[in-house]
Amino acid sequence: MAISTLQKLASQISKSPSLSLSSRTVIARTSSTSAARTTSAKVSDRIINLSAIDPDGNKQDVIGLTGQTLLKALANKGLIDPASHRLEEIDACSAECEVHIAQEWLDKLPPQSYDEQYVLRKYSNRNSRNRVVNKHARLGCQVVLTPELQGMVVAVPEAKPWDTP
């Protein structure tokens, strides 16, 4: 009962015109995570199997959980250095947070927030004034895993020169 009340409240708050887009994204992510946690008590029902192509071109199986970010799942597999990111905050994004998602899966994701677009443009091509963003690029910290993403294919790009220590 309390969960459904919280979900209704989150829905009403997220539709408020006075909230910024990033605030709505956080509210939506929080309410979907809460819903995912309450729909099933079994961890096996929350498992999302993904395929990731590492920078060397090798395909690796990645396991995530519903409500978890793609970045967290990739970091758990060792494909992204968790020290390079605070794993949930867009303020901490670097080029290492960028992933490329296969076209067939892009339509199943929510649209990019303004903040995500800004960060992708900022890191896409530092030396270019045009800053063309790869249309398959998303920030792993902004992609929340859902059952609809079962089997999704992502590519982890090679680290950019300015991100290498």
Side-chain angles (χ1 to χ4, degrees):
M1 181 71 169
I3 298 297
S4 63
T5 305
L6 286 174
Q7 290 172 339
K8 288 178 188 176
L9 182 59
S11 174
Q12 292 171 351
I13 291 172
S14 66
K15 293 177 185 174
S16 173
S18 63
L19 288 176
S20 70
L21 189 56
S22 60
S23 297
R24 291 181 202 168
T25 303
V26 169
I27 290 169
R29 185 177 353 162
T30 304
S31 62
S32 69
T33 302
S34 299
R37 287 185 183 142
T38 59
T39 56
S40 175
K42 293 187 210 172
V43 172
S44 62
D45 292 341
R46 295 183 50 217
I47 292 176
I48 306 295
N49 293 302
L50 311 165
S51 294
I53 311 300
D54 66 19
D56 296 327
N58 301 316
K59 183 177 178 181
Q60 298 191 29
D61 294 328
V62 176
I63 297 175
L65 295 175
T66 302
Q68 185 180 55
T69 64
L70 176 59
L71 182 71
K72 181 75 171 164
L74 293 171
N76 287 342
K77 180 67 177 179
L79 292 169
I80 291 181
D81 178 18
S84 69
H85 201 287
R86 284 183 257 160
L87 297 176
E88 301 298 329
E89 299 174 24
I90 197 164
D91 301 353
C93 279
S94 70
E96 257 196 77
C97 186
E98 181 182 331
V99 294
H100 298 162
I101 298 177
Q103 181 63 44
E104 63 194 78
W105 299 100
L106 283 176
D107 298 333
K108 296 181 181 186
L109 297 175
Q112 295 175 345
S113 68
Y114 173 80
D115 291 337
E116 183 176 5
Q117 290 173 5
Y118 174 80
V119 171
L120 284 169
R121 262 188 259 115
K122 177 179 167 185
Y123 287 110
S124 67
N125 206 355
R126 276 222 173 147
N127 298 325
S128 171
R129 289 184 181 193
N130 296 341
R131 300 192 197 264
V132 177
V133 178
N134 179 332
K135 71 177 185 173
H136 298 280
R138 292 296 299 259
L139 295 177
C141 66
Q142 299 300 299
V143 176
V144 178
L145 299 178
T146 63
E148 294 80 33
L149 300 178
Q150 188 74 253
M152 181 170 66
V153 178
V154 302
V156 179
E158 189 173 340
K160 309 262 189 308
W162 51 84
D163 272 357
T164 306

